[in-house]
């Protein structure tokens, strides 16, 4: 029998508050973080994917951000089992996902994704497509087998993001999230380590943000004025965990301001541990600084509810339960607006329900074996 403690009651009260992102009202402060699953043969989300998302929405997740989905550009991906957000069968599958999430009382946005120079030659779903990026340089600094993007390439990719966003609105999604984090294409433009262009898309922080801002503007123009556009970004990269877009708040503002002006409605600031301060002299984390600098709603993420880095979790290590008192303190003082939960929600579809119902004593440590089921 669960006994509701004052801490549990506080968690339920703070996290159950609705929040608005442009024209969307999310019923509570809990989001599901995007997590790649490779459960969609030929890029088509099937009934198992419908059930996966619908189950978590029914258990109280306010906003579901889907796993990364490839936009309609042949160089966008590297797997024929990662879902795509283009094509009749693929979009029909996603429409069923959105319907199931809404039936469960949740809201949902697809994460639109282009991996850029992470792609290796010969990989599906389009084996002959080259890797493309701002300068043809991989995140680890090597040149790889890709190429620097021409203006036509840039225009094609911008158009692919806009077309995917329009499709999302058309088939019933509540907004979109643009994947500008973790060393993938948009982030490759934002980061000086991979962007060595000498044209208008390279140079200082504002110039490096030009491509991302043009993607945002094209998406904004394609969808309705009240349709939320969320932008996910990070300092760290998959192969370079210590990488940083900005060393100071001023440098970060130079990157974020053009994105906000282009039409971003909310920022999803990806960190590996949400409780760590982002810059010296302040306790604010990356989401906190982002909200302070842009005035936009923000989503924080990074090892929520677990005491252990998610990278190690995906390498097969477990993680004990970590209290969320600090998270609640930050939400209460409006440092950020929402919290995205990854591994804890991956393992336990009922995680949000347990927290919102004050059943914190029922939360369990993360078991890496959960990654093999993902139901």
């Amino acid at each position: 029998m669960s006994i509701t403690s004052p801490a549990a009651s506080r968690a339920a009260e703070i996290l159950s508050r609705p929040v608005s992102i442009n024209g969307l009202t999310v019923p509570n402060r809990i989001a599901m973080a995007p997590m790649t699953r490779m459960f969609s043969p030929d890029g088509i989300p099937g009934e198992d994917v419908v059930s996966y998302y619908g189950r978590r929405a029914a258990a109280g997740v306010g906003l579901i951000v889907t796993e990364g989905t490839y936009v309609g550009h042949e160089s966008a991906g590297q797997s024929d089992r990662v879902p795509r957000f283009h094509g009749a069968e693929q979009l029909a599958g996603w429409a069923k996902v959105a319907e199931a999430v809404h039936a469960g009382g949740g809201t949902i946005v697809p994460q639109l994704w282009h991996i850029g120079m992470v792609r290796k030659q010969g990989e599906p779903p389009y084996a002959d497509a080259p890797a493309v990026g701002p300068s043809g340089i991989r995140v680890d600094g090597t040149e790889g087998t890709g190429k620097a993007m021409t203006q036509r390439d840039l225009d094609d990719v911008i158009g692919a993001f806009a077309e995917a966003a329009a499709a999302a609105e058309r088939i019933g999604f509540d907004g979109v999230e643009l994947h500008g984090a973790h060393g993938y294409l948009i982030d490759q433009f934002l980061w000086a380590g991979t962007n060595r262009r000498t044209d208008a898309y390279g140079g200082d922080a504002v110039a490096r943000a030009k491509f991302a801002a043009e993607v945002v503007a094209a998406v904004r123009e394609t969808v309705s004025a009240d349709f939320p556009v969320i932008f996910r970004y990070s300092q760290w990269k998959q192969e370079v965990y210590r990488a940083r877009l900005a060393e100071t708040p001023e440098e970060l503002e130079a990157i974020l301001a053009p994105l906000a002006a282009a039409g971003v409605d909310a920022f999803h600031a990806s960190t590996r541990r949400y409780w760590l301060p982002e810059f010296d002299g302040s306790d604010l984390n990356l989401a906190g600084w982002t909200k302070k600098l842009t005035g936009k709603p923000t989503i924080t993420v990074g090892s929520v509810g677990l005491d252990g880095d998610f990278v190690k979790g995906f390498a097969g290590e477990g993680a004990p339960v970590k209290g969320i008192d600090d998270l609640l303190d930050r939400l209460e003082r409006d440092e950020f607006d929402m919290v995205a939960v990854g591994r804890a929600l991956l393992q336990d579809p009922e995680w949000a329900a347990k927290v919102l119902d004050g059943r914190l004593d029922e939360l369990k440590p993360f078991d890496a074996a959960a990654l093999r089921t993902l139901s």
Side-chain angles (χ1 to χ4, degrees):
M1 178 179 175
S2 298
I3 300 175
T4 302
S5 67
S9 296
R10 178 173 179 249
E13 179 182 354
I14 292 173
L15 290 169
S16 64
R17 296 176 298 162
V19 61
S20 295
I21 302 175
N22 195 347
L24 175 67
T25 298
V26 181
N28 61 52
R29 302 300 173 113
I30 299 174
M32 181 176 181
M35 291 172 284
T36 297
R37 304 174 63 236
M38 297 187 178
F39 275 33
S40 298
D42 296 322
I44 303 169
E47 291 302 324
D48 58 331
V49 178
V50 173
S51 174
Y52 170 77
Y53 288 115
R55 185 179 180 189
R56 284 157 177 81
V61 175
L63 174 67
I64 286 176
V65 183
T66 73
E67 61 209 281
T69 67
Y70 298 150
V71 296
H73 184 262
E74 289 191 349
S75 298
Q78 62 184 349
S79 170
D80 59 2
R81 293 187 59 83
V82 167
R84 303 197 283 272
F85 217 84
H86 61 97
E89 290 182 274
Q90 289 81 3
L91 293 176
W94 279 119
K96 293 179 180 178
V97 172
E99 184 179 0
V101 168
H102 292 152
T107 60
I108 184 169
V109 300
Q111 187 186 71
L112 305 181
W113 190 21
H114 192 303
I115 70 172
M117 287 298 300
V118 172
R119 176 177 167 78
K120 296 178 182 177
Q121 193 68 36
E123 292 182 316
Y126 303 102
D128 294 335
V132 297
S135 306
I137 298 170
R138 293 172 57 83
V139 173
D140 62 6
T142 62
E143 292 189 7
T145 58
K147 67 167 191 172
M149 296 173 73
T150 65
Q151 185 62 55
R152 180 173 178 177
D153 293 328
L154 296 171
D155 293 341
D156 287 347
V157 171
I158 291 169
F161 274 98
E163 288 173 10
E169 184 172 24
R170 185 174 66 249
I171 66 175
F173 278 75
D174 299 298
V176 293
E177 176 171 284
L178 308 178
H179 196 341
H182 307 160
Y184 296 113
L185 180 63
I186 293 177
D187 192 26
Q188 289 162 22
F189 274 86
L190 294 176
W191 187 42
T194 42
N195 186 344
R196 302 179 189 178
R197 297 177 75 100
T198 57
D199 63 3
Y201 294 92
D204 63 16
V206 175
R208 296 197 308 273
K210 178 177 172 61
F211 174 68
E214 290 186 354
V215 171
V216 172
V219 167
R220 182 78 277 161
E221 185 177 350
T222 304
V223 299
S224 300
D226 60 351
F227 191 71
V229 176
I230 302 169
F231 189 90
R232 193 180 211 216
Y233 82 100
S234 67
Q235 298 262 41
W236 64 276
K237 322 301 170 196
Q238 292 238 3
E239 298 177 18
V240 189
Y241 295 129
R242 296 185 181 276
R244 295 175 69 80
L245 295 178
E247 296 292 345
T248 66
E250 292 75 20
E251 291 178 3
L252 184 60
E253 185 174 20
I255 294 168
L256 298 181
L259 304 182
V264 170
D265 296 304
F267 287 93
H268 189 172
S270 177
T271 56
R272 295 169 70 197
R273 303 170 182 88
Y274 79 84
W275 55 87
L276 296 181
E278 193 57 40
F279 300 114
D280 291 340
S282 169
D283 291 334
L284 292 178
N285 71 3
L286 186 61
W289 272 109
T290 301
K291 182 172 183 177
K292 181 176 181 178
L293 294 171
T294 67
K296 300 289 186 178
T298 59
I299 305 169
T300 197
V301 69
S303 300
V304 174
L306 297 172
D307 193 4
D309 184 78
F310 79 93
V311 174
K312 293 181 179 179
F314 277 78
E317 296 184 22
V321 172
K322 176 182 172 64
I324 58 173
D325 286 344
D326 175 61
L327 176 72
L328 298 176
D329 290 342
R330 291 165 182 260
L331 277 167
E332 202 165 33
R333 61 177 179 256
D334 292 324
E335 180 177 334
F336 40 74
D337 300 275
M338 296 191 69
V339 54
V341 182
R343 285 172 299 156
L345 195 54
L346 179 68
Q347 171 176 288
D348 184 0
E350 300 290 322
W351 189 90
K354 290 175 181 178
V355 173
L356 293 171
D357 292 344
R359 295 181 284 140
L360 300 183
D361 57 324
E362 296 182 23
L363 300 179
K364 299 177 181 179
F366 177 72
D367 179 357
L371 299 178
R372 292 194 288 270
T373 56
L374 301 176
S375 60

